[in-house]
Amino acid sequence: MVAIRSFVAHALVFTLSLIPSFAHSLTTELDSGKIREFTIRENDTTTYTLKLALDEAGQPAYFFRNVFTPVCLTGECKPVYINFYWDLLGNYTRYDLPPREVLTKMDHEEFKPVDYEKLRDILANPNSILKDVAMNDLIGKGTENLADSVDAKAGATLKTTKNEVIEGAVYTCYTLWHIAHGSVVAEIRRITETYQDDALLHRFLASTNYHYQYWAMEQVITPTGDIYADFKPDILKVIEGKNLFTARYALQKISDRFLSSDTQQTWLWHTYQKAGYLLQIAILKKLSTIPLRPVLANSVAQQLPNANQEQSTMMLKLLSGQSKLDDKTQQVLAQQLDSPNEEYATDVYRMLARFHPKNEAVRKRMKAFESTVMQTNK
């Protein structure tokens, strides 16, 4: 997917009848053609507005929500106005504050720059311990009447979550994290699915957002590893791409059948030659389950002298596992019997012997190697 466009410069706060200035901003600054709103029912009595921003082409770009929430147990703290942003699959991306709004700690102490930075880190972690902690576990007994009372009396749970919260604003951190990573994720995915079409899938597969690539691959590659025809070029580009993890995932997911032709095996070998080391290893592992066409077998044989020990071991195993090797490939291997690395040369000899070569040039080199070994062992 084309990189998501810049977020709205000054996102607007949630419309509240008791704050007319915000309602005025909502009507004057939002372009209804670029924003779509969805009313989400959180429970029997609570709803909120989730907004989808569209790019210049009218395509979905990202979601955001103008949040108003009280974050103190007794209402003694200042309510929070904050804007949250998610990608099209519900992955939280960032927050910002409306103009002139600030976050506060216990006793109305304003956040310092370091607190805002820590909040960014807390919210950016979808696997925070806050995910599995109940708010009641953070409240010290006997402190229920204190604003953000969890900070007034530390317990075992609070000590465990110390690095996941901001001192004096534990309830704030807890509340905001659950808004960012809670049920909204499923709602966003549900909405995005209604926009799913070939164009969206092509955009996702071309995106630098790996979440999009993984999701799109699940839609265009069948459980048996077949790729829908229109998306084959996209998947090839993913495997050729810079992201090792999505490339390796795509490689593992596609069927062996897809890589059985000369054309696809030639493409895969070109990809191997340009790839980083870890992807090269992944490609060799993939090839271990696929019969090699003569062209690819020959390419692997030619690459052997330039491979390190791990690679050469895998390549020799690949070639040994074939039902046959053509004369051209056998001749390439026979030339490597002259290697100064005796152990390697011996492995090549054993592999060639397995195929009982009929080519006279190959047999001659094998006999020469046998003679050399015999003389060495005298």
Side-chain angles (χ1 to χ4, degrees):
M1 173 180 171
V2 176
I4 293 178
R5 295 182 60 82
S6 300
F7 294 125
V8 176
H10 298 290
L12 304 171
V13 298
F14 187 79
T15 307
L16 294 173
S17 59
L18 64 159
I19 308 179
S21 60
F22 286 136
H24 176 71
S25 297
L26 185 68
T27 57
T28 58
E29 293 189 26
L30 282 185
D31 177 355
S32 60
K34 299 299 182 184
I35 302 290
R36 293 185 180 172
E37 298 185 352
F38 301 86
T39 300
I40 307 299
R41 181 168 295 280
E42 204 159 32
N43 52 50
D44 291 340
T45 59
T46 305
T47 62
Y48 64 87
T49 300
L50 182 63
K51 301 176 184 180
L52 171 61
L54 307 177
D55 63 18
E56 290 181 351
Q59 297 301 310
Y62 60 88
F63 285 86
F64 67 100
R65 178 184 170 190
N66 311 129
V67 177
F68 160 72
T69 182
V71 293
C72 293
L73 298 179
T74 63
E76 295 178 21
C77 284
K78 184 178 179 180
V80 166
Y81 296 93
I82 188 170
N83 306 310
F84 280 166
Y85 302 83
W86 297 268
D87 71 12
L88 295 174
L89 293 178
N91 299 292
Y92 167 83
T93 57
R94 72 179 183 98
Y95 79 87
D96 62 24
L97 300 176
R100 297 181 296 281
E101 290 296 326
V102 297
L103 298 179
T104 59
K105 302 181 185 180
M106 191 167 59
D107 297 328
H108 305 286
E109 178 187 353
E110 292 188 5
F111 270 36
K112 299 176 182 177
V114 67
D115 298 318
Y116 286 111
E117 288 298 323
K118 186 168 184 178
L119 180 62
R120 286 186 174 88
D121 292 339
I122 292 168
L123 295 178
N125 179 14
N127 299 312
S128 169
I129 194 173
L130 296 175
K131 178 179 181 179
D132 301 312
V133 175
M135 190 62 227
N136 289 339
D137 295 332
L138 298 176
I139 302 172
K141 185 177 180 181
T143 64
E144 290 82 354
N145 293 323
L146 295 176
D148 222 351
S149 61
V150 64
D151 299 296
K153 186 173 182 178
T157 301
L158 180 56
K159 291 176 181 177
T160 302
T161 61
K162 184 176 181 181
N163 292 331
E164 302 287 339
V165 296
I166 297 168
E167 185 177 357
V170 174
Y171 190 47
T172 299
C173 295
Y174 182 90
T175 301
L176 296 183
W177 188 93
H178 279 271
I179 291 174
H181 299 283
S183 60
V184 69
V185 175
E187 295 292 346
I188 288 175
R189 289 199 171 215
R190 178 184 61 79
I191 294 169
T192 295
E193 286 172 0
T194 68
Y195 285 89
Q196 181 179 325
D197 58 15
D198 285 1
L200 182 71
L201 292 171
H202 286 304
R203 289 170 58 203
F204 273 24
L205 289 168
S207 174
T208 57
N209 182 334
Y210 66 89
H211 296 293
Y212 290 173
Q213 290 183 309
Y214 281 124
W215 186 82
M217 282 190 279
E218 291 298 321
Q219 317 306 315
V220 305
I221 303 177
T222 70
T224 57
D226 295 314
I227 307 170
Y228 293 121
D230 289 345
F231 296 96
K232 288 181 180 179
D234 303 85
I235 297 300
L236 298 187
K237 288 180 182 178
V238 171
I239 296 173
E240 294 171 341
K242 296 180 180 180
N243 188 320
L244 166 67
F245 301 101
T246 53
R248 189 164 56 187
Y249 180 82
L251 187 65
Q252 293 168 345
K253 194 168 178 62
I254 60 178
S255 69
D256 294 348
R257 294 184 302 278
F258 181 73
L259 297 171
S260 63
S261 69
D262 277 330
T263 300
Q264 294 307 125
Q265 290 195 3
T266 298
W267 163 80
L268 187 60
W269 191 248
H270 286 323
T271 301
Y272 174 91
Q273 292 174 311
K274 296 182 295 182
Y277 183 72
L278 292 178
L279 184 56
Q280 287 184 336
I281 296 300
I283 290 173
L284 292 175
K285 287 181 179 178
K286 182 68 174 180
L287 289 173
S288 67
T289 62
I290 301 169
L292 302 188
R293 303 287 295 173
V295 173
L296 179 55
N298 188 264
S299 296
V300 172
Q302 291 185 45
Q303 183 66 27
L304 267 168
N306 302 317
N308 65 22
Q309 184 173 353
E310 182 180 20
Q311 291 169 321
S312 64
T313 298
M314 296 178 73
M315 289 177 181
L316 285 169
K317 188 175 181 180
L318 274 178
L319 295 171
S320 296
Q322 303 307 304
S323 60
K324 64 179 181 178
L325 293 177
D326 65 2
D327 280 358
K328 187 176 179 181
T329 301
Q330 290 184 16
Q331 289 180 53
V332 171
L333 291 169
Q335 292 171 3
Q336 296 171 30
L337 294 173
D338 296 332
S339 171
N341 184 332
E342 184 178 333
E343 182 179 354
Y344 169 73
T346 300
D347 288 338
V348 172
Y349 173 84
R350 289 172 178 166
M351 180 179 62
L352 280 170
R354 177 185 177 281
F355 293 100
H356 306 291
K358 293 182 173 56
N359 182 280
E360 193 58 37
V362 174
R363 293 168 66 87
K364 184 177 179 180
R365 283 184 175 272
M366 291 179 69
K367 287 185 179 296
F369 178 79
E370 292 168 4
S371 298
T372 303
V373 172
M374 288 179 65
Q375 291 177 3
T376 303
N377 293 336
K378 284 184 177 179

